Amino acid sequence: MKTCKQCGFDKPMTEYYQHKEMADGHLNKCKSCVRSRIANYVEKNADKVKQYDKIRNKLPHRVEAKKVYAKTEKGKLALRKTHENYVKNYPLRYAAHIITGNAIRDGKLVRQPCFICGGKSEAHHPDYSRPLDVVWLCDFHHKQAHNVSRKGEGYEPSD
């Protein structure tokens, strides 16, 4: 048993994170106190944390670890669950993607260069209820379009 320095409750050692520099080998704050402290920090510094995570997720060892994880049974199951949730939560968006892909495959829709820069493009759906009405945008401009639309603004590409 150990007393948490933050909440003051006596808890079993399994309720503390390991910390090799502490005398007993465990952190002096319980797991729930540490989690709440981190959650508060993330809430107050959301932009800072988001920027940090963007940089961190691109580090070579993390990219490689994701690839290795994706090949494991647990990774495949997680990907399948994510896909199922996407289909369930965004049925109109998913249907638009399928219809657009089939139209490109069948030659009914022809891929054009990016509307803005002329680069290699992807189909962007300003309105998912009209799946064949697309704007052709490169990856960079496509992400910009979605970032703008998430903020509640309309997207009008400019030169």
Side-chain angles (χ1 to χ4, degrees):
M1 295 294 277
K2 182 175 179 167
T3 305
C4 174
K5 292 276 188 187
Q6 192 164 340
C7 66
F9 289 109
D10 284 336
K11 297 184 179 182
M13 294 301 273
T14 56
E15 289 298 310
Y16 295 86
Y17 289 112
Q18 290 183 355
H19 193 291
K20 64 182 177 183
E21 294 178 14
M22 301 301 280
D24 63 1
H26 291 82
L27 199 60
N28 57 5
K29 294 177 185 127
C30 68
K31 289 180 181 180
S32 59
C33 288
V34 170
R35 285 188 201 116
S36 68
R37 183 178 54 83
I38 291 170
N40 289 337
Y41 178 84
V42 169
E43 187 178 321
K44 290 177 185 173
N45 301 287
D47 291 337
K48 187 177 178 181
V49 171
K50 188 174 182 181
Q51 188 63 34
Y52 172 77
D53 283 344
K54 269 186 176 179
I55 293 166
R56 186 171 175 237
N57 286 333
K58 292 179 183 176
L59 294 174
H61 71 280
R62 293 185 65 82
V63 170
E64 185 60 33
K66 284 183 218 170
K67 286 180 184 175
V68 170
Y69 175 71
K71 292 178 183 175
T72 65
E73 281 305 311
K74 192 174 177 182
K76 290 175 186 176
L77 180 64
L79 182 61
R80 195 169 334 150
K81 248 185 181 169
T82 300
H83 178 72
E84 288 169 3
N85 286 339
Y86 178 80
V87 172
K88 184 177 94 181
N89 294 331
Y90 305 102
L92 193 61
R93 188 182 298 186
Y94 181 70
H97 292 168
I98 296 298
I99 292 167
T100 303
N102 291 345
I104 293 169
R105 180 198 64 208
D106 297 341
K108 295 175 184 172
L109 194 60
V110 179
R111 190 181 301 272
Q112 303 292 318
C114 176
F115 178 73
I116 298 171
C117 68
K120 186 178 177 189
S121 66
E122 306 171 341
H124 169 66
H125 295 90
D127 180 359
Y128 291 111
S129 66
R130 299 185 329 217
L132 297 179
D133 184 17
V134 298
V135 178
W136 296 100
L137 298 170
C138 66
D139 182 57
F140 176 75
H141 290 117
H142 196 176
K143 285 178 183 168
Q144 273 188 333
H146 282 282
N147 286 338
V148 168
S149 66
R150 281 188 192 112
K151 293 177 185 170
E153 305 166 12
Y155 178 72
E156 295 178 18
S158 58
D159 291 275

